Amino acid sequence: MNEHTLSMRLERVAANVPAGARLADIGSDHGYLPVALMRRGVITAAVAGEVATTPFYAAQRTVRDNGLEQHISVRLADGLAAIEPGDGITAISVCGMGGETIRDILDNGKVHLSGQERLVLQPNGGEQPLRQWLMDNGYRILSEELLRENRFYYEIIVAERTGAVTYTDQQLYFGPLQMQARSPEFLAKWQRMLRQKHKTLASFEQARQSVPEQKLQEIARQARWITELLA
């Protein structure tokens, strides 16, 4: 993967960044996403934020090699602290981290959010707590996508702040739009998850180990939800 050829996952993230956007890509790694979007003429400006020095230097190099220093600012900062008031950011992408990490980045960086940005999020697991944060903070989920790449399932969640929105526990767990669309990937993912839940419950039963009752109940409830979903 490079700035010319994005992974399938990043291509789907790219497809959800609005034309003409001013993008903040948080945890930009090598800066491939903003550079690719800039080269394609999709976005007008970008900030590539990185908290670690090695990927920060890698992103700087990618931007420099493509002659885009005038259009993409690479910044060493923690989460949304990479965004400055003058940036006029209209879209934020956060990809390739756990959902809880993305949630914490958004929550800790609330001061840097104007509420006008489109959020394009690609969590590696932990989607439920991330959706919970979106709901609690008045963000409506506009689109959701699930794809499989290199044996892993990835979800892309696109949201904008619209004011009060309510999702059920099941919608937060599965994704409100995914539940409606029921794509082949979605059904395959949850069939696999159901097998895992049953395995977990069986191993708890076998070991008779001191698993907290609450945890047992939670996994059993999730297994029940998945069974109902697939029925």
Side-chain angles (χ1 to χ4, degrees):
M1 182 176 78
N2 54 38
E3 67 272 29
H4 309 286
T5 316
L6 297 176
S7 66
M8 183 164 71
R9 176 173 62 92
L10 277 187
E11 276 297 353
R12 296 314 305 150
V13 170
N16 283 290
V17 175
R22 298 177 67 88
L23 174 71
D25 185 39
I26 304 302
S28 197
D29 200 16
H30 285 71
Y32 293 152
L33 180 65
V35 169
L37 287 170
M38 202 79 215
R39 287 172 56 94
R40 296 172 191 180
V42 174
I43 58 174
T44 54
V47 170
E50 250 311 329
V51 70
T53 51
T54 304
F56 166 72
Y57 291 130
Q60 275 190 326
R61 196 161 51 246
T62 306
V63 169
R64 194 171 55 242
D65 290 351
N66 285 273
L68 291 172
E69 297 99 322
Q70 298 301 304
H71 304 283
I72 301 176
S73 302
V74 183
R75 296 182 189 150
L76 189 62
D78 190 359
L80 301 188
I83 299 171
E84 294 171 5
D87 293 330
I89 294 301
T90 61
I92 296 174
S93 52
V94 194
C95 309
M97 305 171 210
E100 289 97 339
T101 304
I102 296 177
R103 173 200 64 194
D104 294 346
I105 285 172
L106 294 171
D107 202 54
N108 296 336
K110 270 184 185 173
V111 66
H112 301 286
L113 291 169
S114 70
Q116 304 303 307
E117 314 89 343
R118 168 175 290 194
L119 303 181
V120 186
L121 312 171
Q122 185 269 296
N124 292 353
E127 297 85 7
Q128 185 181 13
L130 179 54
R131 289 192 193 99
Q132 181 76 51
W133 185 92
L134 292 171
M135 179 177 83
D136 293 344
N137 289 276
Y139 283 85
R140 180 175 297 281
I141 296 170
L142 304 181
S143 83
E144 292 182 299
E145 204 171 321
L146 193 148
L147 59 101
R148 192 174 179 195
E149 186 174 41
N150 303 332
R151 300 192 346 270
F152 292 104
Y153 288 101
Y154 295 106
E155 296 201 25
I156 295 160
I157 301 170
V158 182
E160 286 178 8
R161 192 186 285 171
T162 57
V165 55
T166 308
Y167 296 118
T168 66
D169 287 346
Q170 279 102 322
Q171 285 176 322
L172 293 173
Y173 187 63
F174 296 109
L177 305 179
Q178 307 247 39
M179 283 179 83
Q180 288 174 342
R182 296 175 68 90
S183 70
E185 290 84 2
F186 174 76
L187 296 174
K189 172 188 170 166
W190 289 106
Q191 278 157 357
R192 189 162 122 184
M193 287 296 281
L194 184 59
R195 288 194 296 274
Q196 285 176 2
K197 300 283 178 201
H198 283 154
K199 251 188 210 158
T200 305
L201 288 170
S203 70
F204 284 171
E205 184 61 36
Q206 240 173 354
R208 295 250 181 264
Q209 65 210 103
S210 53
V211 179
E213 183 61 26
Q214 201 180 355
K215 182 165 182 162
L216 207 60
Q217 294 293 335
E218 180 60 25
I219 295 172
R221 184 172 68 142
Q222 290 169 354
R224 199 166 59 247
W225 282 352
I226 302 170
T227 305
E228 287 165 7
L229 176 89
L230 296 173

